[in-house]
Amino acid sequence: MTTNTPTSAASRVDPVFHHPALFYTTEKDYLHGVGEFVRAEATGGRPVLVAVPGPRLQLLREAVGDERESVTFVDMRQAGRNPGRILSMLVDFADRHPQRRPSIVGEPIWVGRTEAEAREATRHEALINLAFAGRPVTILCPYDTALPERVLAEAHRTHPVVGDTDGYLHSPRYEDPRTVCGDCDRPLEEPADPLVLHFTEQDLADVRDAAGRWAQTSCLSPRRHTDWLLVVNEAIGNSARHGGGQGILRLWRTADTLIAEVRDRGRLTDALVGRRRPDPLSPAGGRGVWMIHQLCDLVEMRNPPSGLIVRMHLALD
């Protein structure tokens, strides 16, 4: 392989936006590939965001050394628990530095992620290429080679450039982000015995109250119960307004999660809806979906011919 840095390798593909994937196996690999990148970018005066799983944060803080005061460190296990809210965090950071070329390390998939979380994180990786197209930003994404083979294969499809500690090359398997997102739209598993509530615009308050009473039998804290009411209210409200005036709310629980799913006859036309912080003055909307992503631990959206499906997961405390 070549011995270029992530920025110079990616520039052969896109001279403006750089989005390489780094595959690592050992801690030494990680420190060499990620730590040196962060230190070099910080030393060069660029604003740097490091969003990686908690156990890796201290490693990188120590690797950066005296430059760490100029680096923003974020625990991805917390900030990115729902993959659908990561992109908003990255865009917000880049927007705060419009006159300087920001650099970001984002590690959205780690060993232990569920299959559903990994799939939505793969969608996120694809959408990065749409959201940052034409912007002078570098986003380096580390991938542990202990991850499932299917996850590593998807990284080659979502990153124009891939590499390891030996260097970077153009990925021959890179695909259009919309194609990757389409492949992420696999059918959702059916619950065994959900509570089913049909609603119209006239029923929203009653359905929201019913969802609240149903959730009271769980172990949600008062704060998380409020989050539950907010996401259900936003989902059924959006459904009534944009999904043909009526919809279906289904509720069920697993051992550690409450799940609410809304189905209607709507269509999703913007793959980035809810993934970027909405302009509060914009008439385009999107505020409700963005809030749902911020409050939920996982959001799965599907748009089959029958209409729109929004499945929201809230972990029990």
Side-chain angles (χ1 to χ4, degrees):
M1 301 184 76
T2 63
T3 57
N4 295 317
T5 64
T7 298
S8 62
S11 66
R12 298 200 305 272
V13 178
D14 184 342
V16 180
F17 172 55
H18 304 160
H19 185 208
L22 170 72
F23 298 100
Y24 68 91
T25 301
T26 66
E27 184 176 294
K28 181 180 179 181
D29 293 342
Y30 198 84
L31 289 173
H32 178 72
V34 182
E36 290 189 8
F37 169 77
V38 174
R39 185 168 56 248
E41 297 300 286
T43 302
R46 293 190 177 94
V48 182
L49 169 66
V50 174
V52 300
R56 300 294 187 188
L57 285 175
Q58 188 57 38
L59 282 176
L60 294 179
R61 286 193 179 99
E62 294 174 358
V64 172
D66 294 339
E67 301 296 332
R68 62 179 174 270
E69 295 302 322
S70 63
V71 179
T72 300
F73 291 95
V74 173
D75 187 347
M76 187 66 96
R77 287 182 184 267
Q78 297 177 14
R81 181 169 184 173
N82 170 22
R85 62 175 175 242
I86 301 174
L87 187 56
S88 177
M89 174 177 64
L90 307 189
V91 171
D92 285 352
F93 180 80
D95 286 348
R96 291 197 296 272
H97 306 282
Q99 304 306 319
R100 302 161 65 193
R101 182 183 185 102
S103 295
I104 297 170
V105 176
E107 188 169 0
I109 309 180
W110 52 87
V111 174
R113 277 283 211 189
T114 67
E115 184 176 348
E117 290 169 350
R119 184 176 300 118
E120 294 307 315
T122 293
R123 187 193 305 274
H124 153 75
E125 288 278 50
L127 291 175
I128 281 178
N129 298 303
L130 293 180
F132 283 94
R135 295 193 62 172
V137 178
T138 296
I139 302 179
L140 173 65
C141 301
Y143 278 80
D144 189 337
T145 57
L147 288 164
E149 185 57 38
R150 66 180 180 278
V151 172
L152 300 176
E154 290 296 330
H156 286 265
R157 300 178 69 212
T158 56
H159 295 81
V161 168
V162 296
D164 54 26
T165 55
D166 290 331
Y168 292 80
L169 292 172
H170 171 63
S171 172
R173 287 182 274 169
Y174 176 72
E175 293 198 42
D176 184 282
R178 295 174 181 83
T179 299
V180 178
C181 288
D183 292 341
C184 289
D185 287 340
R186 300 179 185 177
L188 297 169
E189 292 186 11
E190 280 296 306
D193 187 26
L195 173 64
V196 180
L197 301 170
H198 296 259
F199 62 87
T200 65
E201 287 191 83
Q202 289 70 42
D203 307 317
L204 297 182
D206 290 340
V207 169
R208 180 195 61 219
D209 292 344
R213 290 192 299 272
W214 179 86
Q216 285 177 343
T217 61
S218 68
C219 297
L220 284 176
S221 67
R223 179 184 64 82
R224 291 298 275 164
H225 189 267
T226 299
D227 292 344
W228 170 261
L229 292 176
L230 285 171
V231 300
V232 168
N233 186 62
E234 286 296 331
I236 62 176
N238 282 343
S239 181
R241 288 189 295 273
H242 307 296
Q246 59 184 347
I248 300 172
L249 173 65
R250 302 198 299 174
L251 309 173
W252 68 96
R253 60 170 55 88
T254 65
D256 57 2
T257 306
L258 292 189
I259 302 171
E261 178 191 273
V262 173
R263 295 180 176 233
D264 57 42
R265 296 197 298 270
R267 302 301 302 169
L268 183 64
T269 58
D270 181 3
L272 291 168
V273 67
R275 305 266 177 164
R276 298 172 293 192
R277 186 184 299 273
D279 181 349
L281 302 179
S282 172
R287 290 177 289 275
V289 181
W290 180 82
M291 188 189 77
I292 288 170
H293 273 297
Q294 298 304 305
L295 295 178
C296 289
D297 297 299
L298 176 65
V299 178
E300 300 173 279
M301 301 178 70
R302 302 289 188 271
N303 212 170
S306 58
L308 182 63
I309 304 170
V310 181
R311 183 174 288 188
M312 303 164 289
H313 303 241
L314 271 78
L316 297 172
D317 297 331

